[in-house]
C-alpha cells in the first residue's frame, strides 16, 4: 500500500508562498494512497505555466510538455498503457487558451483520464496578463483599461462538448478537493476538474479571501449530478460561486468503444527485435 510520503519529490516547489497550487499538490498526494494507487502506476502530464511545473514536484512518472499540449500526450499515454492512472495538469492559459482545441476534442472523445486545470484567472508565469477566464473589466498588465472580453466558462464549455465528468473545486477546501479528485480519477472516462487556485502575486481580485466568502458546495445542497440542464444552471449562476461535481454520466469511454486498442494496447505489443537490439536502442536514447 502506498503512503503520502511515497509521492514526495526531491524537488521542492518554486511557487510563491501562498500560491493555490500548493493545495492541489497536497490534495493529489492525499488522494492516491486512499485509492490504493501506487506512485509507479501514475503518469502526470503538464503543459507550460506555473502550475505546469507540478510533475517535477510529485513522485510519479511525469512529462512536462509544450504550451497547451498536455492533452494529446496524456491521451496517447493512456491509449498506449490502459493500466496507468493518467492525470494531466496545467493552468487556465495553457488549457483554456492555447490548448482549448485539444480540450474540446478530448472531452468528446472520452478517454479514461483526469484533467485538472489550476484556474487562477490570470497568466502567472508571465507576470500577470489577462487570461481566457479573467473577468470582464479586470485590469491587468495587458488590459490596463479593463478586460474588454467576456470570460470563457469552462464548465458550460465542458457540458456542451460531451464531457462525461464535470467538476469545480477550490484548492483551499481540502475535504472537497480530495473527495472530488477521488471521484474524478475513479470515473471511467474523461474528467475535467476546474480548480480555483489563487495567484496571490498577480491576481488581487480572485483571492483566497474571495473564494472563502463566495464558494458553496452544490453536492451538499441536493444537486442532481445526472441532470445536464441543472448542471448548466449551476455553472452560470451569479449569486454565489458553485463548486462540487456538476455532472457525470456513464457513457462508454473511448477504450471500451475502440476494440483494437482494448484488445492489445501498445505496451503489450511484441517489439519483434532481439533483447540486444533493444538494449542498443535504449542506450542510444536514454
Ligand atoms: Fe502561483 Fe501566481 Fe506565484 Fe505563479 S506567480 S507561483 S501562479 S502565485
Amino acid at each position: 500500500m502506498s503512503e503520502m510520503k511515497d509521492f514526495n519529490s526531491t524537488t521542492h516547489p518554486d511557487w510563491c508562498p501562498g500560491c493555490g497550487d500548493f493545495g492541489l499538490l497536497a490534495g493529489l498526494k492525499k488522494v492516491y494512497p486512499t485509492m490504493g494507487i501506487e506512485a509507479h502506476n501514475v503518469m502526470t502530464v503538464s503543459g507550460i505555466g506555473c502550475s505546469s511545473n507540478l510533475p517535477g514536484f510529485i513522485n510519479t512518472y511525469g512529462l512536462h510538455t509544450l504550451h497547451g499540449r498536455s492533452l494529446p500526450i496524456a491521451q496517447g499515454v493512456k491509449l498506449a498503457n490502459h493500466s496507468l492512472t493518467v492525470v494531466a495538469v496545467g493552468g487556465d492559459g495553457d488549457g483554456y487558451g492555447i490548448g482549448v482545441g485539444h480540450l474540446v476534442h478530448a472531452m468528446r472523445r472520452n478517454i479514461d483520464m483526469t484533467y485538472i486545470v489550476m484556474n487562477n484567472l490570470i497568466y502567472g508565469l508571465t507576470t500577470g496578463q489577462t487570461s481566457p477566464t479573467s473577468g470582464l473589466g479586470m485590469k491587468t498588465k495587458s488590459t490596463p483599461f479593463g478586460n474588454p472580453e467576456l470570460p470563457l466558462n469552462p464548465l458550460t464549455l465542458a457540458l456542451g462538448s460531451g464531457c462525461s465528468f464535470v467538476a469545480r473545486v477550490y484548492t483551499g477546501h481540502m475535504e472537497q478537493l480530495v473527495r472530488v479528485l477521488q471521484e474524478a480519477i475513479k470515473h471511467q472516462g474523461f474528467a475535467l476538474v476546474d480548480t480555483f487556485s489563487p495567484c496571490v502575486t498577480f491576481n488581487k481580485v480572485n483571492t483566497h479571501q474571495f473564494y472563502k466568502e463566495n464558494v458553496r458546495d452544490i453536492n451538499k445542497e441536493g444537486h442532481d449530478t445526472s441532470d445536464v440542464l441543472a448542471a448548466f444552471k449551476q455553472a452560470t449562476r451569479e449569486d454565489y460561486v458553485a463548486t462540487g461535481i456538476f455532472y457525470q454520466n456513464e457513457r462508454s469511454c473511448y477504450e471500451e468503444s475502440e476494440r483494437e486498442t482494448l484488445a492489445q494496447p501498445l505496451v503489450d505489443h511484441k517489439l519483434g527485435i532481439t533483447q540486444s537490439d533493444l538494449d542498443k536502442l535504449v542506450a542510444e536514447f536514454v
Side-chain angles (χ1 to χ4, degrees), residues 164-185:
S164 58
F165 184 102
V166 181
R168 180 160 69 187
V169 293
Y170 158 52
T171 59
H173 285 169
M174 189 55 68
E175 182 275 327
Q176 182 196 48
L177 176 69
V178 167
R179 176 169 43 86
V180 171
L181 288 180
Q182 285 168 334
E183 293 304 318
I185 292 168

Side-chain angles (χ1 to χ4, degrees), residues 14-21 50-51 120 124-125 197-202:
D14 57 359
W15 297 318
C16 307
C19 176
D21 299 351
C50 292
S51 52
N120 54 24
L125 188 68
S197 182
C199 172
V200 295
T201 303
F202 296 110

Side-chain angles (χ1 to χ4, degrees), residues 125-142:
L125 188 68
T126 50
T127 72
Q129 293 80 19
T130 294
S131 88
T133 51
S134 300
L136 186 68
M138 185 170 173
K139 291 188 178 172
T140 70
K141 278 186 185 163
S142 59

